[in-house]
Amino acid sequence: MNFSKNFLNLTAIVLLVLSSCSKKEEFQTANINFNKNWQFSKGEISEAIQPNFDDSKWETINVPHDWSIKGPFSKENPSFSRGGWLPTGKSTYRKTFTVPASRKENKVFVYFDGAYRNSVVYINGQKVGYRPMGYIGFEYDLTEHINFDEENVLTVTLDNSEQPGSRWYTGTGIYRDVTLKIRNKTYIPNWSLYVTTPKISKETATINAAFNIKNEFSEATNITAKTIVLKNNVEVVSKENEVTLSPDKAESLNVSIDIENPKLWAPETPELYTVKVQLFNKGELIGEETTRTGIRDLQYSNKTGFSINGVQTKLKGVCLHHAGGPLGSAIYKRTIQRQLEILREMGCNAVRTAHNPFSTEFLEVCDEMGFLVMNEVFDEWEVVKKPATIQDGKKIRIPVKFYADKFKEWADTDLTDFVLRDRNHPSVVMWSIGNEIDQMKTDEGIPIANRLIDIIHKLDDRPVTNGLIGYGWDAWPSEGAAQTSDIRGYNYIKENGLDREDKIAPNAMGIVTECASAQSYYPRSTYLYGKEKEEWWKKLGYTSDDAYKWVEQRELIGYRGVQAWKDIKNRDDIMGQFIWTGWDYLGEVIPFGWPARSSSFAPIDLCGFPKDGYYFYQSQWSDKPMVHIFPHWNLEGMEGKEVTVYAYTNGNEVELFQDGKSLGKQKNNLNNVEYQEWKVTYKPGTLKAISYKYGKEIATKEVKTAGKAAKIELFVRRTNLKADGEDLSYIECTILDKDGNVVPKAANVINFEVTGEASLIGVGNGDNMNLDSFQASSRRAFNGKCLAIIKTTEIEGDIIFKATSEGLETTSIKFTSLK
């Protein structure tokens, strides 16, 4: 038998004709990007699963794709406030392709990293699988249904019609990568390759690669498995093993390789290795699988918390949802990179994936950037949640029809696939099986938690947590339920709660899985006084009801978030905290109702613009010298009245000046959690703060009363882009006066024009009550800022982005896009 003829050579050009919209595409790899040229239609079209169905009038789209984000926003949409008032429903995707006859003896698989939700996949009219959870990755074997050298039709139907369907915005569509895989009939199955680093020192480290080899031929064969460790694409070391495979059987291998002078993975030095396993038959390469790994030693203690490579490390974390602001859930690698860059500049080093599996790409970026991840899988188990929301100014509770009715049947499968997919990522430092699960309030949750934890422990050795102790719960979780986790997870732990836990469970390890952030609920740069505050609330239809009180308790300083950090900053036994949230997100608009369509909990708004709370965390979590003061100094109507001015700094003393006159110095004890405040009589002019460390000036911040809007400032993080059809640039627009001061209340409409090899794919401004479409050619600035997002084509060339606004100077920026 000639096994080599069945191998799709990884270095040669393999012509795989994929016919979609009468286009032919060439691929040079066995893992084929299947994101381009899908046909799409909203609604249920039952006959569309048939291969001869005419989809020529459907919309042609590329994945990732989220059709809900197009809107419109409407109070009538059944997604309600929790889903950001955006449309949902049923939809169908079709892709036509051809596999050459030369591949007839190969295996053909399709892999989806996520499709929201209730996906059913058909190939040539034959159903090959169903997955209810929209966040989970899945793979199907298409081989027996493929018509080689003829057209094949892959059809995906989605159903996100049962609403409200989540406690936050989910998006609807094939919103993550799709891959077509061609394999020899002797191959390493999906997610089979598992890499660990059981022994680590400065001199040497052991990498262990465990994997299965499956033989689907009817004859036995001898295979050579070569395991290679690479660093920066250069081979470091390798080992070969001979394996005899029985017909239609799988064999397991466990290969250990020692690395000399290993480079360790850590938040500051995220060094990555690649582990590649190649399969040879009679000297011919017939298949290979690769994964990345990081060599690092993780330690967990009830005395010293979390350590990596022997360094005690506090998790300074944020909870995130999976969507990307104006792009909805159809995000790209650059979306994730920018999000994490801005968080890192805040001092953040950890992310909790709230409350579902994120994309493979997200974890890859965390691996590359050195972020530590609490990888969470479920938001509810068998009991439907009824979260609070605001309707007509009153707090109500509405059940969310998400996953509870699927949990008994699908939880074990989804959890297994979740761990198998993600366990090679060095960024993952712990698993989480739930968030504020109702069944964990009593002993009812014990057997369920134990079952889920056992599944994880059989697949991986990292510890498991569970966000248990809710602020608004009627009672603390049962002690038996709390004991199930390796690490106790505390959500919104009550006053003196950690001291209580020390008495109940003195030997338990703990982490604050969720807490309030040190941020006002008001939108970015919104400071309200007197009549202006009354009018702001009046337009929302609120008076002194629940929502109003909810916001007022966190006005300007998010006290609960400040206290949450104060509770754990100097406690070695608590591993860290994850604030709710790191970034504003669509949906869950509490404490507001209509017309709010996104949250306002975070120190960063929906577009990535920092709020004041961002600088509180920077003062606590970052060593880079800084000082921040607020509010802005355009407080019309407050002349002659007293205003509180706040300061955050990581110096040990800060001095405030008004129009050049010192208003006094205040101490800042760096061992505690402090901020400074002055009572200042408002008048237009200049505020200046100077921060000192042991008498030496380390940072200054000036806030001036701005004049009339005169020009637009554009800021981008990079101007050299990649011509791959998926690279993005986020262009931040700020309105300035003639002297270069930010105009903090500017609301000018800015028009965007893109010429060259890119297109405008999204706009925003961070206003959580703006109901304009995210897909437009202009945006009204909100409190002086707005955002435009461009995406490259696959053609090299220059890109010119121009921003114009009536009465303001025109501004442009040039990009270069190369392969």
Side-chain angles (χ1 to χ4, degrees):
M1 181 175 295
N2 186 357
F3 288 84
S4 63
K5 73 176 183 180
N6 300 314
F7 175 56
L8 184 60
N9 195 312
L10 297 175
T11 58
I13 294 180
V14 177
L15 180 62
L16 191 64
V17 182
L18 301 179
S19 209
S20 182
C21 300
S22 300
K23 293 180 181 178
K24 292 184 178 181
E25 307 171 65
E26 283 191 2
F27 298 89
Q28 298 182 9
T29 171
N31 291 327
I32 301 159
N33 183 318
F34 232 40
N35 289 347
K36 301 287 196 305
N37 297 321
W38 287 78
Q39 298 299 100
F40 165 75
S41 179
K42 288 189 281 188
E44 184 175 20
I45 307 170
S46 58
E47 59 270 26
I49 68 173
Q50 299 304 321
N52 59 356
F53 177 80
D54 182 7
D55 60 18
S56 60
K57 294 183 179 179
W58 286 15
E59 181 183 359
T60 301
I61 61 92
N62 293 333
V63 171
H65 183 247
D66 170 15
W67 61 263
S68 289
I69 197 64
K70 290 184 178 181
F73 296 100
S74 172
K75 202 172 182 180
E76 305 305 314
N77 282 327
S79 61
F80 204 67
S81 64
R82 287 280 172 166
W85 312 104
L86 283 162
T88 58
K90 299 180 180 182
S91 53
T92 305
Y93 294 78
R94 287 167 51 93
K95 185 172 178 67
T96 302
F97 63 102
T98 302
V99 182
S102 58
R103 302 298 124 209
K104 217 167 201 176
E105 294 301 315
N106 287 116
K107 299 284 294 180
V108 181
F109 301 91
V110 66
Y111 175 76
F112 293 84
D113 205 43
Y116 205 87
R117 61 178 167 152
N118 291 307
S119 65
V120 185
V121 178
Y122 303 84
I123 180 68
N124 297 327
Q126 301 297 311
K127 179 180 174 180
V128 292
Y130 161 70
R131 289 305 278 261
M133 180 184 268
Y135 300 111
I136 205 74
F138 53 89
E139 179 181 277
Y140 298 129
D141 187 345
L142 307 181
T143 310
E144 66 176 303
H145 305 297
I146 291 291
N147 298 316
F148 291 91
D149 221 21
E150 298 178 17
E151 284 193 344
N152 298 274
V153 180
L154 185 67
T155 305
V156 181
T157 65
L158 302 174
D159 185 354
N160 190 22
S161 59
E162 192 173 19
Q163 296 292 324
S166 176
R167 297 192 303 115
W168 57 88
Y169 175 80
T170 63
T172 310
I174 303 178
Y175 68 110
R176 294 181 184 166
D177 289 339
V178 185
T179 305
L180 191 74
K181 297 180 175 183
I182 310 295
R183 295 292 185 267
N184 188 275
K185 287 185 179 179
T186 299
Y187 63 98
I188 298 171
N190 187 40
W191 301 329
S192 163
L193 177 57
Y194 177 39
V195 176
T196 55
T197 53
K199 296 179 182 179
I200 301 172
S201 69
K202 289 183 179 179
E203 295 76 26
T204 185
T206 299
I207 289 181
N208 193 80
F211 53 92
N212 296 329
I213 307 175
K214 193 170 184 180
N215 176 26
E216 292 197 19
F217 287 102
S218 58
E219 299 177 16
T221 185
N222 296 318
I223 295 294
T224 301
K226 183 178 182 180
T227 304
I228 309 167
V229 178
L230 303 101
K231 186 79 173 76
N232 300 323
N233 295 318
V234 176
E235 181 175 323
V236 177
V237 66
S238 64
K239 181 182 283 189
E240 292 186 1
N241 296 82
E242 302 298 324
V243 186
T244 298
L245 299 173
S246 300
D248 295 314
K249 297 288 184 181
E251 295 289 338
S252 298
L253 265 74
N254 203 318
V255 180
S256 291
I257 298 180
D258 290 333
I259 305 277
E260 300 298 322
N261 302 312
K263 293 185 180 296
L264 302 187
W265 188 96
E268 301 79 15
T269 56
E271 298 282 354
L272 292 170
Y273 289 82
T274 297
V275 176
K276 178 188 295 186
V277 179
Q278 294 181 324
L279 303 181
F280 294 87
N281 178 262
K282 297 178 181 178
E284 295 292 329
L285 181 64
I286 64 168
E288 71 177 30
E289 296 294 332
T290 64
T291 189
R292 293 193 304 186
T293 190
I295 300 173
R296 78 279 190 269
D297 179 31
L298 307 178
Q299 297 293 328
Y300 312 81
S301 167
N302 66 332
K303 297 290 190 288
T304 57
F306 172 76
S307 298
I308 182 166
N309 303 327
V311 179
Q312 187 176 1
T313 303
K314 186 76 81 174
L315 298 179
K316 302 168 183 176
V318 302
C319 301
L320 289 180
H321 278 315
H322 70 290
L327 300 184
S329 60
I331 64 174
Y332 296 82
K333 184 174 183 177
R334 182 58 199 154
T335 309
I336 302 164
Q337 289 173 331
R338 175 178 179 261
Q339 200 170 44
L340 295 182
E341 286 167 5
I342 293 170
L343 285 168
R344 183 167 58 191
E345 290 160 10
M346 187 177 80
C348 172
N349 66 3
V351 171
R352 176 191 183 207
T353 62
H355 306 286
N356 51 262
F358 276 31
S359 68
T360 298
E361 196 167 48
F362 180 87
L363 293 178
E364 288 174 346
V365 175
C366 289
D367 295 341
E368 293 163 1
M369 295 182 65
F371 273 79
L372 307 168
V373 177
M374 176 189 290
N375 210 16
E376 189 161 87
V377 61
F378 297 125
D379 185 53
E380 64 184 21
W381 292 353
E382 297 172 358
V383 176
V384 173
K385 286 187 173 180
K386 298 178 181 178
T389 191
I390 302 297
Q391 183 172 331
D392 300 324
K394 300 296 180 184
K395 187 190 295 185
I396 62 173
R397 292 188 177 273
I398 296 177
V400 170
K401 306 161 186 174
F402 170 50
Y403 189 71
D405 62 333
K406 308 290 195 307
F407 186 87
K408 287 184 178 180
E409 179 181 359
W410 282 98
D412 292 11
T413 298
D414 286 338
L415 178 59
T416 298
D417 287 353
F418 165 71
V419 176
L420 289 175
R421 189 198 69 166
D422 294 349
R423 61 186 179 173
N424 285 337
H425 291 282
S427 57
V428 175
V429 297
M430 64 184 71
W431 308 97
S432 173
I433 57 171
N435 171 65
E436 297 173 4
I437 302 297
D438 286 276
Q439 288 165 290
M440 293 299 285
K441 295 180 186 179
T442 69
D443 288 354
E444 178 188 1
I446 295 175
I448 303 172
N450 283 334
R451 187 183 86 237
L452 301 177
I453 292 169
D454 284 347
I455 289 172
I456 294 176
H457 285 168
K458 288 175 182 176
L459 299 171
D460 189 71
D461 62 359
R462 276 160 285 195
V464 181
T465 188
N466 191 348
L468 288 184
I469 301 175
Y471 179 79
W473 285 12
D474 299 329
W476 292 76
S478 79
E479 182 57 21
Q483 288 176 2
T484 58
S485 296
D486 301 320
I487 302 172
R488 293 191 180 212
Y490 304 118
N491 278 26
Y492 303 97
I493 190 160
K494 297 181 181 182
E495 189 174 354
N496 301 318
L498 292 174
D499 294 335
R500 173 191 179 280
E501 285 292 294
D502 283 343
K503 295 175 182 177
I504 293 174
N507 297 318
M509 297 187 291
I511 190 166
V512 176
T513 37
E514 187 172 320
C515 64
S517 77
Q519 174 58 46
S520 160
Y521 280 136
Y522 285 112
R524 170 183 48 80
S525 298
T526 299
Y527 310 105
L528 302 174
Y529 303 92
K531 188 176 180 180
E532 187 179 17
K533 179 188 288 187
E534 292 176 13
E535 291 177 350
W536 194 86
W537 281 100
K538 186 177 179 180
K539 80 176 181 181
L540 294 175
Y542 301 118
T543 53
S544 57
D545 51 33
D546 285 341
Y548 180 85
K549 294 174 185 175
W550 206 341
V551 173
E552 290 298 290
Q553 70 177 338
R554 281 174 59 160
E555 186 171 5
L556 289 202
I557 293 289
Y559 175 75
R560 283 175 55 202
V562 173
Q563 185 62 42
W565 177 243
K566 188 180 294 186
D567 287 344
I568 73 155
K569 177 178 179 178
N570 296 315
R571 290 188 63 128
D572 288 342
D573 58 324
I574 299 298
M575 297 180 187
Q577 70 171 199
F578 293 85
I579 64 171
W580 191 263
T581 51
W583 203 283
D584 281 348
Y585 54 94
L586 287 163
E588 196 168 23
V589 305
I590 54 173
F592 305 109
W594 178 266
R597 45 75 171 149
S598 54
S599 72
S600 56
F601 306 115
I604 304 169
D605 74 16
L606 194 71
C607 289
F609 298 126
K611 307 180 197 175
D612 295 313
Y614 181 92
Y615 301 98
F616 167 78
Y617 290 105
Q618 199 173 70
S619 74
Q620 297 295 316
W621 291 356
S622 173
D623 294 328
K624 184 178 179 180
M626 58 77 63
V627 63
H628 175 74
I629 53 174
F630 61 100
H632 61 66
W633 216 231
N634 277 63
L635 305 177
E636 293 85 353
M638 290 297 291
E639 288 82 356
K641 298 178 182 178
E642 189 176 79
V643 173
T644 302
V645 175
Y646 298 92
Y648 298 135
T649 185
N650 51 15
N652 63 359
E653 193 173 38
V654 61
E655 185 173 13
L656 184 69
F657 295 82
Q658 183 178 24
D659 299 329
K661 179 182 178 181
S662 176
L663 301 183
K665 291 183 177 181
Q666 293 192 34
K667 298 292 185 182
N668 183 51
N669 188 333
L670 298 177
N671 294 319
N672 294 330
V673 179
E674 295 182 353
Y675 56 87
Q676 293 68 46
E677 56 183 274
W678 292 260
K679 301 297 183 182
V680 181
T681 301
Y682 175 73
K683 62 176 180 177
T686 302
L687 291 179
K688 182 178 181 179
I690 301 178
S691 176
Y692 305 91
K693 201 160 191 178
Y694 307 114
K696 181 181 178 181
E697 181 180 319
I698 62 168
T700 63
K701 174 73 176 188
E702 217 172 49
V703 177
K704 294 185 178 182
T705 303
K708 183 180 177 181
K711 53 189 176 182
I712 305 165
E713 178 184 67
L714 302 180
F715 171 78
V716 296
R717 290 174 173 262
R718 49 207 261 281
T719 55
N720 293 321
L721 307 180
K722 191 172 182 181
D724 61 359
E726 296 187 345
D727 199 8
L728 309 182
S729 180
Y730 285 76
I731 303 161
E732 300 176 12
C733 309
T734 303
I735 296 178
L736 309 177
D737 69 8
K738 62 180 179 60
D739 297 319
N741 301 306
V742 176
V743 183
K745 293 185 178 181
N748 306 63
V749 174
I750 300 181
N751 303 297
F752 307 121
E753 181 182 335
V754 182
T755 55
E757 297 304 329
S759 60
L760 182 66
I761 63 168
V763 298
N765 61 14
D767 180 2
N768 70 328
M769 299 186 193
N770 186 298
L771 299 177
D772 294 336
S773 173
F774 291 119
Q775 298 182 1
S777 59
S778 64
R779 196 63 160 189
R780 183 178 296 279
F782 173 67
N783 288 340
K785 291 181 177 291
C786 64
L787 178 75
I789 308 166
I790 64 171
K791 180 164 71 77
T792 61
T793 69
E794 296 182 68
I795 301 172
E796 292 186 338
D798 291 337
I799 301 161
I800 303 296
F801 175 88
K802 184 186 296 184
T804 61
S805 183
E806 185 177 353
L808 305 185
E809 295 178 12
T810 296
T811 312
S812 64
I813 190 167
K814 181 180 178 181
F815 301 87
T816 300
S817 183
L818 299 173
K819 292 290 187 182

